[in-house]
Amino acid sequence: MAGLKYMSGFGNEFSSEDPRCPGSLPEGQNSPQACPYGLYAEQLSGSAFTCPRPANKRSWLYRILPSVKHKPFAAVSCGNLTEDWDEVEPDPNQLRWLPFSIPKPTEKKVDFVSGLHTICGAGDARSRNGIGVHVYACNASMADRCFNNSDGDFLIVPQQGEILITTEFGKMLVEPNEICVIQQGMRFSVDVFGATRGYILEVYGAHFELPDLGPIGANGLANPRDFQCPVAWYEDRRVATGYTVINKYQGKLFACQQDFSPFNVVAWHGNYTPYKYNLDDFMVINCVAFDHADPSIFTVLTAKSTRPGVAVADFVIFPPRWGVADRTFRPPYYHRNCMSEFMGLIKGHYEAKEEGFQPGGASLHSIMTPHGPDADCFEKNSTAELKPERVADGTMAFMFESSFSMAVTKWGLQTCQKLDKNYHRCWEDLRSHFDPKWKPNKH
């Protein structure tokens, strides 16, 4: 949307005022006896007060009315959103889904919250340790209602249709091939402009960080300055018919009513904010000699566990790049992983499975479940001329990788009716090339 402004940086100490109210940020302190313009001061904490400074997350919001002014919460239907990982028996098979359906507006108006569907996940929001993987499929904007996730952070990956997200910190327009993160406790509302679909990685108990670069050095992968944070914007709007705040709490949905818009923050400062990122800005690192580097070189964001080097969840992309490795099978290798791998496709064709894996669909390769290129990909790339080539042009695939062993929901296995029952057949034509009489070429 033309005219939206952003601030640049990842995890910075930002400060912002709506230009309609200059001087609305208090000077020299957070909670004066009387705030400028008669505003209320409210802190939003994203970490324990006593966290070490590098991990301490909080923002101060200066608002027309505090968020505590609302009627009591009451339970509402969760639809297909769940944290019940025991609905169906575990399934260790390779799973692939055809593109998830988007409801037609002529049949039913569905907004972002009503269009949330949980595919898989693990852990427990109450113990603040776990993840959820969801898709959203909607056709209508949220009217006089907002969403608030008390359980964790949402990393949102639009696949079809741009979304205009209004938050307490300001507005963000997020298009396919961009991502955004709405952190725990932040209220937001989503406007759409037609048939809209995307993916969500939810993380309980940890926030996303930029991965450490180690020997890569100071520059590379996702650079901090390419992340964008909204600027302050407020509306002083009374809603006589009632404004609905939907709260995801301990895996369930609750709703309360208030008579004003929650997006009444005139100014704010802090380092706990929503943000967005364009995947085209990712500085790709790749093999330039031989062999195939692990997909960890494509990590955009990571949510760390307490075990060094082991992530609760990584967000990994497979962007357009050059393939130049000599004497190497260049596509992904055959693999059994101690991590769970959920993949989605924003656009184009994924190199290792050009048929069947479609934009708006997904796959799940669970812990220690074997996976790798289909038979056609293996045969073609085992004999291909190894000249420099562009890989994945016009494509953007991604992966949510997690140390959790994820369970698939009943909706994911049955209700959605998008599970590809023939997925296993893409490996059926793999044949033995074993030759016991093979001898190395003499040079």
Side-chain angles (χ1 to χ4, degrees), residues 57-92:
K57 306 292 184 187
R58 56 85 188 95
S59 285
W60 280 90
L61 313 177
Y62 300 92
R63 54 197 321 151
I64 296 167
L65 283 169
S67 56
V68 72
K69 183 178 165 64
H70 63 80
K71 297 287 198 301
F73 281 104
V76 295
S77 170
C78 295
N80 292 305
L81 190 70
T82 185
E83 197 194 280
D84 182 356
W85 312 128
D86 297 314
E87 288 180 312
V88 288
E89 290 298 307
D91 188 339

PDB file of all heavy atoms in Angstrom, residues 57-92:
ATOM      1  N   LYS A  57      13.428  -8.127  26.146  1.00  0.00           N
ATOM      2  CA  LYS A  57      12.517  -7.577  25.146  1.00  0.00           C
ATOM      3  C   LYS A  57      11.356  -6.871  25.825  1.00  0.00           C
ATOM      4  O   LYS A  57      10.647  -7.471  26.639  1.00  0.00           O
ATOM      5  CB  LYS A  57      11.959  -8.700  24.254  1.00  0.00           C
ATOM      6  CG  LYS A  57      13.019  -9.578  23.602  1.00  0.00           C
ATOM      7  CD  LYS A  57      13.816  -8.827  22.565  1.00  0.00           C
ATOM      8  CE  LYS A  57      14.811  -9.740  21.863  1.00  0.00           C
ATOM      9  NZ  LYS A  57      15.715  -8.991  20.961  1.00  0.00           N
ATOM     10  N   ARG A  58      11.168  -5.611  25.466  1.00  0.00           N
ATOM     11  CA  ARG A  58      10.005  -4.882  25.987  1.00  0.00           C
ATOM     12  C   ARG A  58       9.803  -3.616  25.155  1.00  0.00           C
ATOM     13  O   ARG A  58      10.727  -3.079  24.543  1.00  0.00           O
ATOM     14  CB  ARG A  58      10.185  -4.525  27.465  1.00  0.00           C
ATOM     15  CG  ARG A  58      11.457  -3.721  27.794  1.00  0.00           C
ATOM     16  CD  ARG A  58      11.259  -2.240  27.592  1.00  0.00           C
ATOM     17  NE  ARG A  58      12.490  -1.481  27.717  1.00  0.00           N
ATOM     18  CZ  ARG A  58      13.248  -1.144  26.681  1.00  0.00           C
ATOM     19  NH1 ARG A  58      12.946  -1.569  25.464  1.00  0.00           N
ATOM     20  NH2 ARG A  58      14.328  -0.392  26.846  1.00  0.00           N
ATOM     21  N   SER A  59       8.555  -3.163  25.138  1.00  0.00           N
ATOM     22  CA  SER A  59       8.236  -1.873  24.514  1.00  0.00           C
ATOM     23  C   SER A  59       7.235  -1.137  25.389  1.00  0.00           C
ATOM     24  O   SER A  59       6.393  -1.752  26.071  1.00  0.00           O
ATOM     25  CB  SER A  59       7.657  -2.063  23.109  1.00  0.00           C
ATOM     26  OG  SER A  59       8.673  -2.404  22.192  1.00  0.00           O
ATOM     27  N   TRP A  60       7.344   0.179  25.370  1.00  0.00           N
ATOM     28  CA  TRP A  60       6.401   1.049  26.067  1.00  0.00           C
ATOM     29  C   TRP A  60       5.455   1.664  25.041  1.00  0.00           C
ATOM     30  O   TRP A  60       5.893   2.249  24.042  1.00  0.00           O
ATOM     31  CB  TRP A  60       7.139   2.143  26.827  1.00  0.00           C
ATOM     32  CG  TRP A  60       7.695   1.661  28.133  1.00  0.00           C
ATOM     33  CD1 TRP A  60       8.915   1.116  28.368  1.00  0.00           C
ATOM     34  CD2 TRP A  60       7.020   1.692  29.396  1.00  0.00           C
ATOM     35  NE1 TRP A  60       9.063   0.796  29.691  1.00  0.00           N
ATOM     36  CE2 TRP A  60       7.909   1.133  30.352  1.00  0.00           C
ATOM     37  CE3 TRP A  60       5.771   2.128  29.816  1.00  0.00           C
ATOM     38  CZ2 TRP A  60       7.580   1.007  31.708  1.00  0.00           C
ATOM     39  CZ3 TRP A  60       5.438   2.006  31.163  1.00  0.00           C
ATOM     40  CH2 TRP A  60       6.330   1.452  32.088  1.00  0.00           C
ATOM     41  N   LEU A  61       4.151   1.523  25.324  1.00  0.00           N
ATOM     42  CA  LEU A  61       3.115   2.028  24.430  1.00  0.00           C
ATOM     43  C   LEU A  61       2.379   3.171  25.121  1.00  0.00           C
ATOM     44  O   LEU A  61       2.008   3.061  26.304  1.00  0.00           O
ATOM     45  CB  LEU A  61       2.121   0.918  24.072  1.00  0.00           C
ATOM     46  CG  LEU A  61       2.708  -0.440  23.649  1.00  0.00           C
ATOM     47  CD1 LEU A  61       1.586  -1.445  23.401  1.00  0.00           C
ATOM     48  CD2 LEU A  61       3.565  -0.296  22.409  1.00  0.00           C
ATOM     49  N   TYR A  62       2.132   4.239  24.383  1.00  0.00           N
ATOM     50  CA  TYR A  62       1.412   5.402  24.923  1.00  0.00           C
ATOM     51  C   TYR A  62       0.105   5.518  24.155  1.00  0.00           C
ATOM     52  O   TYR A  62       0.072   5.875  22.980  1.00  0.00           O
ATOM     53  CB  TYR A  62       2.290   6.655  24.828  1.00  0.00           C
ATOM     54  CG  TYR A  62       3.562   6.443  25.626  1.00  0.00           C
ATOM     55  CD1 TYR A  62       4.710   5.934  25.017  1.00  0.00           C
ATOM     56  CD2 TYR A  62       3.576   6.645  27.007  1.00  0.00           C
ATOM     57  CE1 TYR A  62       5.850   5.672  25.756  1.00  0.00           C
ATOM     58  CE2 TYR A  62       4.709   6.373  27.760  1.00  0.00           C
ATOM     59  CZ  TYR A  62       5.841   5.890  27.129  1.00  0.00           C
ATOM     60  OH  TYR A  62       6.965   5.611  27.879  1.00  0.00           O
ATOM     61  N   ARG A  63      -0.988   5.183  24.887  1.00  0.00           N
ATOM     62  CA  ARG A  63      -2.255   4.937  24.207  1.00  0.00           C
ATOM     63  C   ARG A  63      -3.394   5.749  24.802  1.00  0.00           C
ATOM     64  O   ARG A  63      -3.327   6.206  25.946  1.00  0.00           O
ATOM     65  CB  ARG A  63      -2.577   3.449  24.207  1.00  0.00           C
ATOM     66  CG  ARG A  63      -2.565   2.775  25.543  1.00  0.00           C
ATOM     67  CD  ARG A  63      -2.472   1.249  25.421  1.00  0.00           C
ATOM     68  NE  ARG A  63      -3.268   0.725  24.319  1.00  0.00           N
ATOM     69  CZ  ARG A  63      -2.973  -0.379  23.656  1.00  0.00           C
ATOM     70  NH1 ARG A  63      -1.920  -1.104  23.975  1.00  0.00           N
ATOM     71  NH2 ARG A  63      -3.749  -0.798  22.683  1.00  0.00           N
ATOM     72  N   ILE A  64      -4.441   5.872  23.999  1.00  0.00           N
ATOM     73  CA  ILE A  64      -5.588   6.687  24.396  1.00  0.00           C
ATOM     74  C   ILE A  64      -6.343   6.023  25.548  1.00  0.00           C
ATOM     75  O   ILE A  64      -6.778   6.703  26.488  1.00  0.00           O
ATOM     76  CB  ILE A  64      -6.496   6.917  23.176  1.00  0.00           C
ATOM     77  CG1 ILE A  64      -5.748   7.736  22.115  1.00  0.00           C
ATOM     78  CG2 ILE A  64      -7.788   7.630  23.574  1.00  0.00           C
ATOM     79  CD1 ILE A  64      -6.416   7.758  20.750  1.00  0.00           C
ATOM     80  N   LEU A  65      -6.506   4.717  25.479  1.00  0.00           N
ATOM     81  CA  LEU A  65      -7.070   3.942  26.580  1.00  0.00           C
ATOM     82  C   LEU A  65      -6.224   2.682  26.746  1.00  0.00           C
ATOM     83  O   LEU A  65      -5.745   2.111  25.756  1.00  0.00           O
ATOM     84  CB  LEU A  65      -8.529   3.544  26.293  1.00  0.00           C
ATOM     85  CG  LEU A  65      -9.586   4.642  26.465  1.00  0.00           C
ATOM     86  CD1 LEU A  65     -10.920   4.183  25.893  1.00  0.00           C
ATOM     87  CD2 LEU A  65      -9.746   4.996  27.943  1.00  0.00           C
ATOM     88  N   PRO A  66      -6.027   2.205  27.981  1.00  0.00           N
ATOM     89  CA  PRO A  66      -5.206   1.005  28.181  1.00  0.00           C
ATOM     90  C   PRO A  66      -5.958  -0.243  27.734  1.00  0.00           C
ATOM     91  O   PRO A  66      -7.194  -0.282  27.708  1.00  0.00           O
ATOM     92  CB  PRO A  66      -4.951   1.001  29.688  1.00  0.00           C
ATOM     93  CG  PRO A  66      -6.101   1.745  30.274  1.00  0.00           C
ATOM     94  CD  PRO A  66      -6.492   2.781  29.264  1.00  0.00           C
ATOM     95  N   SER A  67      -5.198  -1.292  27.413  1.00  0.00           N
ATOM     96  CA  SER A  67      -5.817  -2.516  26.883  1.00  0.00           C
ATOM     97  C   SER A  67      -6.609  -3.265  27.949  1.00  0.00           C
ATOM     98  O   SER A  67      -7.392  -4.157  27.623  1.00  0.00           O
ATOM     99  CB  SER A  67      -4.744  -3.425  26.277  1.00  0.00           C
ATOM    100  OG  SER A  67      -3.732  -3.716  27.210  1.00  0.00           O
ATOM    101  N   VAL A  68      -6.441  -2.901  29.221  1.00  0.00           N
ATOM    102  CA  VAL A  68      -7.160  -3.594  30.297  1.00  0.00           C
ATOM    103  C   VAL A  68      -8.653  -3.267  30.299  1.00  0.00           C
ATOM    104  O   VAL A  68      -9.451  -3.979  30.917  1.00  0.00           O
ATOM    105  CB  VAL A  68      -6.534  -3.235  31.662  1.00  0.00           C
ATOM    106  CG1 VAL A  68      -6.851  -1.788  32.064  1.00  0.00           C
ATOM    107  CG2 VAL A  68      -6.966  -4.207  32.744  1.00  0.00           C
ATOM    108  N   LYS A  69      -9.055  -2.222  29.577  1.00  0.00           N
ATOM    109  CA  LYS A  69     -10.466  -1.808  29.588  1.00  0.00           C
ATOM    110  C   LYS A  69     -11.267  -2.669  28.603  1.00  0.00           C
ATOM    111  O   LYS A  69     -11.413  -2.343  27.429  1.00  0.00           O
ATOM    112  CB  LYS A  69     -10.584  -0.322  29.231  1.00  0.00           C
ATOM    113  CG  LYS A  69     -12.003   0.246  29.285  1.00  0.00           C
ATOM    114  CD  LYS A  69     -12.002   1.733  28.959  1.00  0.00           C
ATOM    115  CE  LYS A  69     -13.398   2.251  28.637  1.00  0.00           C
ATOM    116  NZ  LYS A  69     -14.312   2.144  29.791  1.00  0.00           N
ATOM    117  N   HIS A  70     -11.756  -3.816  29.096  1.00  0.00           N
ATOM    118  CA  HIS A  70     -12.573  -4.694  28.255  1.00  0.00           C
ATOM    119  C   HIS A  70     -13.476  -5.532  29.149  1.00  0.00           C
ATOM    120  O   HIS A  70     -13.243  -5.695  30.352  1.00  0.00           O
ATOM    121  CB  HIS A  70     -11.690  -5.597  27.387  1.00  0.00           C
ATOM    122  CG  HIS A  70     -10.821  -6.547  28.159  1.00  0.00           C
ATOM    123  ND1 HIS A  70     -11.283  -7.730  28.689  1.00  0.00           N
ATOM    124  CD2 HIS A  70      -9.500  -6.492  28.498  1.00  0.00           C
ATOM    125  CE1 HIS A  70     -10.308  -8.362  29.318  1.00  0.00           C
ATOM    126  NE2 HIS A  70      -9.205  -7.627  29.223  1.00  0.00           N
ATOM    127  N   LYS A  71     -14.510  -6.105  28.565  1.00  0.00           N
ATOM    128  CA  LYS A  71     -15.392  -7.023  29.280  1.00  0.00           C
ATOM    129  C   LYS A  71     -14.647  -8.361  29.463  1.00  0.00           C
ATOM    130  O   LYS A  71     -13.639  -8.628  28.809  1.00  0.00           O
ATOM    131  CB  LYS A  71     -16.669  -7.243  28.473  1.00  0.00           C
ATOM    132  CG  LYS A  71     -17.519  -5.982  28.258  1.00  0.00           C
ATOM    133  CD  LYS A  71     -18.212  -5.580  29.533  1.00  0.00           C
ATOM    134  CE  LYS A  71     -19.388  -4.635  29.281  1.00  0.00           C
ATOM    135  NZ  LYS A  71     -19.020  -3.387  28.608  1.00  0.00           N
ATOM    136  N   PRO A  72     -15.140  -9.250  30.328  1.00  0.00           N
ATOM    137  CA  PRO A  72     -14.456 -10.523  30.567  1.00  0.00           C
ATOM    138  C   PRO A  72     -14.369 -11.385  29.304  1.00  0.00           C
ATOM    139  O   PRO A  72     -15.236 -11.343  28.439  1.00  0.00           O
ATOM    140  CB  PRO A  72     -15.328 -11.204  31.637  1.00  0.00           C
ATOM    141  CG  PRO A  72     -16.005 -10.069  32.336  1.00  0.00           C
ATOM    142  CD  PRO A  72     -16.252  -9.036  31.278  1.00  0.00           C
ATOM    143  N   PHE A  73     -13.307 -12.190  29.233  1.00  0.00           N
ATOM    144  CA  PHE A  73     -13.141 -13.149  28.132  1.00  0.00           C
ATOM    145  C   PHE A  73     -14.069 -14.339  28.328  1.00  0.00           C
ATOM    146  O   PHE A  73     -14.317 -14.775  29.451  1.00  0.00           O
ATOM    147  CB  PHE A  73     -11.696 -13.660  28.083  1.00  0.00           C
ATOM    148  CG  PHE A  73     -10.733 -12.710  27.431  1.00  0.00           C
ATOM    149  CD1 PHE A  73      -9.855 -11.959  28.205  1.00  0.00           C
ATOM    150  CD2 PHE A  73     -10.689 -12.573  26.054  1.00  0.00           C
ATOM    151  CE1 PHE A  73      -8.945 -11.088  27.613  1.00  0.00           C
ATOM    152  CE2 PHE A  73      -9.793 -11.710  25.447  1.00  0.00           C
ATOM    153  CZ  PHE A  73      -8.922 -10.960  26.218  1.00  0.00           C
ATOM    154  N   ALA A  74     -14.552 -14.876  27.215  1.00  0.00           N
ATOM    155  CA  ALA A  74     -15.356 -16.092  27.229  1.00  0.00           C
ATOM    156  C   ALA A  74     -14.871 -16.996  26.097  1.00  0.00           C
ATOM    157  O   ALA A  74     -14.432 -16.514  25.048  1.00  0.00           O
ATOM    158  CB  ALA A  74     -16.838 -15.770  27.053  1.00  0.00           C
ATOM    159  N   ALA A  75     -14.941 -18.291  26.313  1.00  0.00           N
ATOM    160  CA  ALA A  75     -14.473 -19.247  25.312  1.00  0.00           C
ATOM    161  C   ALA A  75     -15.304 -19.155  24.041  1.00  0.00           C
ATOM    162  O   ALA A  75     -16.525 -18.959  24.092  1.00  0.00           O
ATOM    163  CB  ALA A  75     -14.529 -20.664  25.884  1.00  0.00           C
ATOM    164  N   VAL A  76     -14.652 -19.275  22.896  1.00  0.00           N
ATOM    165  CA  VAL A  76     -15.334 -19.315  21.599  1.00  0.00           C
ATOM    166  C   VAL A  76     -14.797 -20.514  20.821  1.00  0.00           C
ATOM    167  O   VAL A  76     -13.787 -21.114  21.181  1.00  0.00           O
ATOM    168  CB  VAL A  76     -15.118 -18.014  20.792  1.00  0.00           C
ATOM    169  CG1 VAL A  76     -15.770 -16.832  21.491  1.00  0.00           C
ATOM    170  CG2 VAL A  76     -13.640 -17.736  20.545  1.00  0.00           C
ATOM    171  N   SER A  77     -15.468 -20.842  19.742  1.00  0.00           N
ATOM    172  CA  SER A  77     -15.064 -21.989  18.928  1.00  0.00           C
ATOM    173  C   SER A  77     -13.660 -21.794  18.372  1.00  0.00           C
ATOM    174  O   SER A  77     -13.303 -20.715  17.887  1.00  0.00           O
ATOM    175  CB  SER A  77     -16.047 -22.189  17.777  1.00  0.00           C
ATOM    176  OG  SER A  77     -15.543 -23.150  16.860  1.00  0.00           O
ATOM    177  N   CYS A  78     -12.873 -22.852  18.430  1.00  0.00           N
ATOM    178  CA  CYS A  78     -11.518 -22.811  17.880  1.00  0.00           C
ATOM    179  C   CYS A  78     -11.481 -23.199  16.410  1.00  0.00           C
ATOM    180  O   CYS A  78     -10.422 -23.105  15.772  1.00  0.00           O
ATOM    181  CB  CYS A  78     -10.606 -23.760  18.664  1.00  0.00           C
ATOM    182  SG  CYS A  78     -10.370 -23.284  20.378  1.00  0.00           S
ATOM    183  N   GLY A  79     -12.614 -23.648  15.867  1.00  0.00           N
ATOM    184  CA  GLY A  79     -12.622 -24.083  14.481  1.00  0.00           C
ATOM    185  C   GLY A  79     -11.617 -25.209  14.275  1.00  0.00           C
ATOM    186  O   GLY A  79     -11.642 -26.222  14.977  1.00  0.00           O
ATOM    187  N   ASN A  80     -10.713 -25.016  13.328  1.00  0.00           N
ATOM    188  CA  ASN A  80      -9.695 -26.030  13.039  1.00  0.00           C
ATOM    189  C   ASN A  80      -8.334 -25.676  13.625  1.00  0.00           C
ATOM    190  O   ASN A  80      -7.315 -26.234  13.206  1.00  0.00           O
ATOM    191  CB  ASN A  80      -9.585 -26.240  11.529  1.00  0.00           C
ATOM    192  CG  ASN A  80     -10.824 -26.885  10.952  1.00  0.00           C
ATOM    193  OD1 ASN A  80     -11.234 -27.943  11.403  1.00  0.00           O
ATOM    194  ND2 ASN A  80     -11.442 -26.242   9.972  1.00  0.00           N
ATOM    195  N   LEU A  81      -8.328 -24.753  14.579  1.00  0.00           N
ATOM    196  CA  LEU A  81      -7.104 -24.406  15.301  1.00  0.00           C
ATOM    197  C   LEU A  81      -7.027 -25.291  16.544  1.00  0.00           C
ATOM    198  O   LEU A  81      -8.002 -25.386  17.301  1.00  0.00           O
ATOM    199  CB  LEU A  81      -7.130 -22.928  15.691  1.00  0.00           C
ATOM    200  CG  LEU A  81      -5.853 -22.310  16.235  1.00  0.00           C
ATOM    201  CD1 LEU A  81      -4.809 -22.196  15.133  1.00  0.00           C
ATOM    202  CD2 LEU A  81      -6.153 -20.924  16.814  1.00  0.00           C
ATOM    203  N   THR A  82      -5.897 -25.950  16.759  1.00  0.00           N
ATOM    204  CA  THR A  82      -5.834 -26.887  17.881  1.00  0.00           C
ATOM    205  C   THR A  82      -4.413 -27.011  18.416  1.00  0.00           C
ATOM    206  O   THR A  82      -3.443 -26.694  17.729  1.00  0.00           O
ATOM    207  CB  THR A  82      -6.349 -28.283  17.457  1.00  0.00           C
ATOM    208  OG1 THR A  82      -6.379 -29.151  18.596  1.00  0.00           O
ATOM    209  CG2 THR A  82      -5.457 -28.902  16.400  1.00  0.00           C
ATOM    210  N   GLU A  83      -4.328 -27.487  19.655  1.00  0.00           N
ATOM    211  CA  GLU A  83      -3.060 -27.910  20.236  1.00  0.00           C
ATOM    212  C   GLU A  83      -3.200 -29.332  20.770  1.00  0.00           C
ATOM    213  O   GLU A  83      -2.418 -29.776  21.601  1.00  0.00           O
ATOM    214  CB  GLU A  83      -2.649 -26.948  21.367  1.00  0.00           C
ATOM    215  CG  GLU A  83      -1.188 -27.034  21.764  1.00  0.00           C
ATOM    216  CD  GLU A  83      -0.879 -26.338  23.086  1.00  0.00           C
ATOM    217  OE1 GLU A  83      -0.738 -25.109  23.076  1.00  0.00           O
ATOM    218  OE2 GLU A  83      -0.781 -27.029  24.115  1.00  0.00           O
ATOM    219  N   ASP A  84      -4.197 -30.044  20.260  1.00  0.00           N
ATOM    220  CA  ASP A  84      -4.408 -31.443  20.664  1.00  0.00           C
ATOM    221  C   ASP A  84      -3.615 -32.332  19.721  1.00  0.00           C
ATOM    222  O   ASP A  84      -4.037 -32.602  18.589  1.00  0.00           O
ATOM    223  CB  ASP A  84      -5.905 -31.776  20.589  1.00  0.00           C
ATOM    224  CG  ASP A  84      -6.205 -33.202  21.047  1.00  0.00           C
ATOM    225  OD1 ASP A  84      -5.231 -33.942  21.342  1.00  0.00           O
ATOM    226  OD2 ASP A  84      -7.383 -33.582  21.098  1.00  0.00           O
ATOM    227  N   TRP A  85      -2.457 -32.774  20.178  1.00  0.00           N
ATOM    228  CA  TRP A  85      -1.583 -33.580  19.332  1.00  0.00           C
ATOM    229  C   TRP A  85      -1.890 -35.070  19.428  1.00  0.00           C
ATOM    230  O   TRP A  85      -1.144 -35.893  18.883  1.00  0.00           O
ATOM    231  CB  TRP A  85      -0.115 -33.313  19.691  1.00  0.00           C
ATOM    232  CG  TRP A  85       0.242 -31.867  19.800  1.00  0.00           C
ATOM    233  CD1 TRP A  85       0.863 -31.242  20.847  1.00  0.00           C
ATOM    234  CD2 TRP A  85       0.029 -30.835  18.821  1.00  0.00           C
ATOM    235  NE1 TRP A  85       1.032 -29.911  20.588  1.00  0.00           N
ATOM    236  CE2 TRP A  85       0.531 -29.627  19.348  1.00  0.00           C
ATOM    237  CE3 TRP A  85      -0.555 -30.815  17.535  1.00  0.00           C
ATOM    238  CZ2 TRP A  85       0.467 -28.411  18.655  1.00  0.00           C
ATOM    239  CZ3 TRP A  85      -0.620 -29.603  16.849  1.00  0.00           C
ATOM    240  CH2 TRP A  85      -0.112 -28.429  17.405  1.00  0.00           C
ATOM    241  N   ASP A  86      -2.971 -35.419  20.110  1.00  0.00           N
ATOM    242  CA  ASP A  86      -3.334 -36.834  20.268  1.00  0.00           C
ATOM    243  C   ASP A  86      -4.673 -37.154  19.610  1.00  0.00           C
ATOM    244  O   ASP A  86      -5.296 -38.166  19.932  1.00  0.00           O
ATOM    245  CB  ASP A  86      -3.403 -37.196  21.755  1.00  0.00           C
ATOM    246  CG  ASP A  86      -2.053 -37.043  22.440  1.00  0.00           C
ATOM    247  OD1 ASP A  86      -1.061 -37.514  21.861  1.00  0.00           O
ATOM    248  OD2 ASP A  86      -2.003 -36.442  23.530  1.00  0.00           O
ATOM    249  N   GLU A  87      -5.117 -36.304  18.682  1.00  0.00           N
ATOM    250  CA  GLU A  87      -6.401 -36.543  18.006  1.00  0.00           C
ATOM    251  C   GLU A  87      -6.397 -37.849  17.216  1.00  0.00           C
ATOM    252  O   GLU A  87      -7.389 -38.567  17.158  1.00  0.00           O
ATOM    253  CB  GLU A  87      -6.697 -35.413  17.013  1.00  0.00           C
ATOM    254  CG  GLU A  87      -7.069 -34.088  17.623  1.00  0.00           C
ATOM    255  CD  GLU A  87      -7.344 -33.063  16.540  1.00  0.00           C
ATOM    256  OE1 GLU A  87      -6.534 -32.930  15.600  1.00  0.00           O
ATOM    257  OE2 GLU A  87      -8.391 -32.404  16.623  1.00  0.00           O
ATOM    258  N   VAL A  88      -5.278 -38.111  16.557  1.00  0.00           N
ATOM    259  CA  VAL A  88      -5.150 -39.321  15.735  1.00  0.00           C
ATOM    260  C   VAL A  88      -3.833 -39.999  16.073  1.00  0.00           C
ATOM    261  O   VAL A  88      -2.959 -39.407  16.713  1.00  0.00           O
ATOM    262  CB  VAL A  88      -5.214 -38.981  14.228  1.00  0.00           C
ATOM    263  CG1 VAL A  88      -6.627 -38.596  13.816  1.00  0.00           C
ATOM    264  CG2 VAL A  88      -4.239 -37.884  13.868  1.00  0.00           C
ATOM    265  N   GLU A  89      -3.684 -41.236  15.631  1.00  0.00           N
ATOM    266  CA  GLU A  89      -2.456 -41.977  15.900  1.00  0.00           C
ATOM    267  C   GLU A  89      -1.284 -41.351  15.147  1.00  0.00           C
ATOM    268  O   GLU A  89      -1.462 -40.779  14.064  1.00  0.00           O
ATOM    269  CB  GLU A  89      -2.621 -43.434  15.481  1.00  0.00           C
ATOM    270  CG  GLU A  89      -3.568 -44.228  16.354  1.00  0.00           C
ATOM    271  CD  GLU A  89      -3.081 -44.322  17.793  1.00  0.00           C
ATOM    272  OE1 GLU A  89      -1.924 -44.743  18.002  1.00  0.00           O
ATOM    273  OE2 GLU A  89      -3.844 -43.962  18.705  1.00  0.00           O
ATOM    274  N   PRO A  90      -0.069 -41.448  15.685  1.00  0.00           N
ATOM    275  CA  PRO A  90       1.106 -40.918  14.977  1.00  0.00           C
ATOM    276  C   PRO A  90       1.266 -41.564  13.599  1.00  0.00           C
ATOM    277  O   PRO A  90       0.883 -42.724  13.399  1.00  0.00           O
ATOM    278  CB  PRO A  90       2.272 -41.286  15.894  1.00  0.00           C
ATOM    279  CG  PRO A  90       1.657 -41.530  17.237  1.00  0.00           C
ATOM    280  CD  PRO A  90       0.277 -42.040  16.986  1.00  0.00           C
ATOM    281  N   ASP A  91       1.835 -40.808  12.663  1.00  0.00           N
ATOM    282  CA  ASP A  91       2.040 -41.304  11.301  1.00  0.00           C
ATOM    283  C   ASP A  91       3.452 -40.941  10.854  1.00  0.00           C
ATOM    284  O   ASP A  91       3.750 -39.775  10.605  1.00  0.00           O
ATOM    285  CB  ASP A  91       1.012 -40.671  10.349  1.00  0.00           C
ATOM    286  CG  ASP A  91       1.055 -41.296   8.958  1.00  0.00           C
ATOM    287  OD1 ASP A  91       2.082 -41.900   8.606  1.00  0.00           O
ATOM    288  OD2 ASP A  91       0.054 -41.165   8.225  1.00  0.00           O
ATOM    289  N   PRO A  92       4.368 -41.933  10.768  1.00  0.00           N
ATOM    290  CA  PRO A  92       5.761 -41.628  10.415  1.00  0.00           C
ATOM    291  C   PRO A  92       6.010 -41.531   8.906  1.00  0.00           C
ATOM    292  O   PRO A  92       7.136 -41.328   8.474  1.00  0.00           O
ATOM    293  CB  PRO A  92       6.523 -42.823  11.003  1.00  0.00           C
ATOM    294  CG  PRO A  92       5.557 -43.956  10.862  1.00  0.00           C
ATOM    295  CD  PRO A  92       4.178 -43.361  11.086  1.00  0.00           C
TER     296      PRO A  92
END
